[in-house]
Structures are given as structure tokens and as C-alpha cells.
């Protein structure tokens, strides 16, 4: 489906004037390009006609139309594809690749997440394109990168979480390994790739040379083991699962209260002393087993049991309000419906509605870009496009392909 009625929407963001040709799908690549789009870049999303991004079918739930019926647009797809234009183009066909090459003549960035070697078979690898497009920044996202024994394997977030160690430290002590509740390896790879693209664009503007970015889910997952990874590299012992507890500080976890649960996040000895005074238990901070964080970690079982008994004496509301008043971090464990009703989340504008979707003119819900830029704030110019919505706009109106050429490409299924 195409729509030629929509004119190009000007952007005033920091990346206005940057065009990205996006041949990625699922999550890591789309998160990357949505981030660039939020900051003003023009994102042209290439999708196979009649199929599109796999995540369009990852539901329910699906976006409802004006009559309350499911549309073809899944919530998963909507989560990472705003501020883009969809062009239906089959790059597995020679005619489609010719069109893609014409698009690359207008581009600053090309991003793809095909398996290693696929783009080379199409004549679209970085090495095959660099002479023709010397200023192009080319980013590839794969499961395991372009080198190493696992490079040919297909990569998925769940596998990266398992192989990259995060599942070994997530979950209850003695329980089964647990993945994070969102595809965090995908998300973090997308964010790191966006940062690398910005660095490469700055280098390109200074030198005139584009470059290749090799991004891998496993590499990214290993990189954000952060303190847990260094705990092993420095201490020599592999960390284990501690449930909601912190490996290096305590008490820093969820505790049961008189009527629910609360997060107590004591980050230093001064905060622990304040907690004990508020609780009326200065004897605890005077105990040498608990007086310092080092002592509390070394005597974790006893210190946690002591704090747990204290926490059960008051309600969640009493702990949250009281500890906030004395400067000790403490907060509730919100369900997701409570998150979007939270006054701080509402004040920060973290829920947005993007108007003018073809299936839902009143607006598509969206989770905001999280950072607040004073001069070039993120903008929500376009709702996530339906499949092929902008094919004629981009290929005809901007690329200049004549109507008869477009008709021929459409008849043959290339667009």
C-alpha cells in the first residue's frame, strides 16, 4: 500500500539533513534508527513488499481502528518504528537492488541486520560500495559480529542474554537462569550502534570518509556486564544469582513490608545510619557486623535478615514517605499500568500520542525518547508507517523515478 498525498515533514532536530536508509528489522536496528529519527534524521525504512518487518505480526495486541477492530500493526512494531517512512522494495531482486543503489546516492547512513555474507551476495557489502559511496557510514548488526567462529550463526536477543552471562546473575538464588523482561541485548545494541553512527558521521564530516560499523548482540551483552563482569575479572570468582539483591552493597533490594513490598536502596554507610535512626534501631548500626558496607556484605545473611525484620513493622507508604524525608532511597515496585500513571512519569512526558496514523487518525500511543535536549528536543513527527506507505513519495517524488517505471516495478512485485 502506498500513499502519495503526504508531503515531506521538515525536521528541526539536531540530525536534520541526515538521511538513513534502513534495511533492518525486528528490534536492534529499528531501535537504532528510531533514536536517530527522534533526533531529526530522515529514516527511509526498506521493507519487502507483502511481508514487511517481521514484528508487524508479533501480536496480539494490535492497534485498533476507529471501529475497535484489530489492524495489521502490532504493538511490538509500533514500539520502535516512529519517525520513519516505509518503502516497499525487494532488494533480493536485481531491479530492487538498482533502486536501493539510487537511494544510497542520497544517503548519509546505511544500516542492515542481515546474516553475515548476505549483503555481499547481493553486491551490497561495505567493501563493494565504498568506492562508489566514499562518504557513506555503513552499519551492520548481527548476533555475533563479522568475525570469529560464531559469525555465520543467526543471532537472537535471548541467545545473547544466555551466552553473554546476564542470565547467570538474574533470578532468584537457587532458581533457574532468568532473562530480562525486555529484549535488552537488542535494545542496548541499537543504542550503541546509534552512538557509533554519530561518531562516524562526525569523523566523516572532518575527513570526508565514511566507515564500517560492525555491531554484535553478544559483544554488547558482554560489555554491559559492567560491575558483575569486573567482579569476576578482579576477584576471580564468577558471580551468582542473588534475586533482587546487589552483589556489592547491602541492604539494596526488595523487602516485604506490613502490607506489600518496597525497594530499599542504601548506597553508603551514612544512608544506613539514617535508616537505622528512622527505624528506631540505632543498635543495629552500632553492631560491628553491620556498621560498614564491607561488613554488611561479608555478613549478608545476618544483615539482610535483620533489616527484613525491621521492614515488616511498617507499611509501604510509611517507609516510602519516611525514608524520603531523611534522604534514604526507597520506592515502590510499580506494575506497568502504575508506571504510566505515576506523577513523575507524567510530568516528564514519557507517554506520547502521535496523530495522523492511516488506521488510527486520533493518535498512536508511544513511549517518549527519554533525554531532554534544550535546543533540539526529540520530535514525534511521524507515526510508525504502514507497509509501503511512502514508496511512491520517496521513489517517485524524491528519487525521480517516472510513473511508468514505478508501475512496471509494482507490476513485477519489486515494490
Amino acid at each position: 500500500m502506498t500513499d502519495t498525498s503526504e508531503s515531506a515533514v521538515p525536521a528541526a532536530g539536531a540530525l536534520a539533513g541526515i538521511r538513513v536508509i534502513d534495511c533492518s528489522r525486528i528490534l536492534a536496528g529499528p531501535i537504532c534508527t528510531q533514536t536517530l529519527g527522534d533526533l531529526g534524521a530522515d529514516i527511509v525504512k526498506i521493507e519487502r513488499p507483502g511481508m514487511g518487518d517481521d514484528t508487524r505480526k508479533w501480536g496480539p495486541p494490535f492497534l485498533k481502528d476507529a471501529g475497535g477492530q484489530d489492524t495489521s500493526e502490532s504493538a511490538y512494531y509500533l514500539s520502535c518504528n516512529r519517525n520513519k517512512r516505509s518503502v516497499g522494495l525487494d532488494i533480493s531482486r536485481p531491479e530492487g537492488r538498482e533502486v536501493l543503489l539510487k537511494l544510497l546516492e542520497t544517503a548519509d547512513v546505511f544500516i542492515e541486520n542481515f546474516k553475515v555474507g548476505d549483503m555481499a551476495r547481493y553486491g551490497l557489502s561495505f567493501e563493494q560500495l565504498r568506492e562508489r559511496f566514499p562518504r557513506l557510514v555503513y552499519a551492520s548488526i548481527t548476533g555475533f559480529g563479522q568475525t570469529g567462529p560464531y559469525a555465520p550463526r543467526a543471532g537472537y536477543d535471548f541467545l545473547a542474554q544466555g551466552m553473554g552471562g546476564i542470565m547467570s546473575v538474574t533470578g532468584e538464588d537457587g532458581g533457574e537462569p532468568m532473562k530480562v523482561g525486555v529484549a535488552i541485548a537488542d535494545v542496548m545494541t541499537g543504542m550503541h550502534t546509534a552512538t557509533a553512527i554519530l561518531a562516524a558521521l562526525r569523523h566523516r564530516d572532518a575527513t570526508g570518509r565514511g566507515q564500517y560499523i560492525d555491531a554484535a548482540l553478544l559483544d554488547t551483552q558482554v560489555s554491559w556486564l559492567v560491575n558483575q563482569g569486573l567482579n569476576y575479572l578482579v576477584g576471580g570468582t564468577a558471580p551468582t544469582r542473588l534475586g533482587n539483591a546487589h552483589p556489592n552493597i547491602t541492604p539494596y533490594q526488595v523487602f516485604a513490608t506490613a502490607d506489600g513490598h518496597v525497594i530499599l536502596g542504601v548506597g553508603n554507610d551514612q544512608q544506613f545510619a539514617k535508616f537505622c535512626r528512622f527505624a528506631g534501631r540505632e543498635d543495629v548500626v552500632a553492631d560491628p557486623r553491620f556498621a560498614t558496607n564491607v561488613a554488611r556484605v561479608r555478613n549478608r545473611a545476618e544483615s539482610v535478615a535483620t533489616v527484613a525484620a525491621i521492614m515488616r513493622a511498617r507499611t509501604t507508604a510509611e517507609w516510602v514517605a519516611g525514608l524520603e524525608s531523611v534522604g534514604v532511597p526507597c520506592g515502590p515496585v510499580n506494575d506497568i499500568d502504575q508506571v504510566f500513571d505515576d506523577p513523575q512519569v507524567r510530568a516528564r512526558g514519557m507517554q506520547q500520542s502521535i496523530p495522523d496514523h492511516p488506521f488510527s487518525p486520533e493518535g498512536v500511543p508511544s513511549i517518549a525518547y527519554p533525554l531532554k535536549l534544550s535546543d533540539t528536543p526529540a520530535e514525534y513527527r511521524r507515526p510508525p508507517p504502514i507497509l509501503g506507505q511512502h514508496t511512491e513519495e520517496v521513489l517517485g517524488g524524491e528519487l525521480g523515478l517516472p510513473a511508468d517505471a514505478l508501475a512496471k516495478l509494482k507490476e513485477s512485485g519489486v515494490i
Side-chain angles (χ1 to χ4, degrees), residues 6-18:
E6 182 181 0
S7 59
V9 179
L15 300 182
I18 297 295

Side-chain angles (χ1 to χ4, degrees), residues 102-135:
K102 291 182 181 296
L103 282 170
L104 290 177
E105 292 175 356
T106 73
D108 300 278
V109 178
F110 179 53
I111 180 169
E112 56 88 14
N113 65 344
F114 286 75
K115 289 172 61 177
V116 171
D118 281 359
M119 300 308 279
R121 285 191 287 274
Y122 292 152
L124 297 172
S125 71
F126 174 71
E127 293 298 330
Q128 291 163 325
L129 296 181
R130 68 186 307 179
E131 184 174 349
R132 180 171 176 178
F133 305 109
R135 292 175 56 83

Side-chain angles (χ1 to χ4, degrees), residues 1-7 358 386 388-394:
M1 180 176 181
T2 58
D3 176 12
T4 58
S5 64
E6 182 181 0
S7 59
I386 61 175
Q389 180 178 347
H390 305 95
T391 301
E392 293 181 21
E393 174 185 313
V394 173

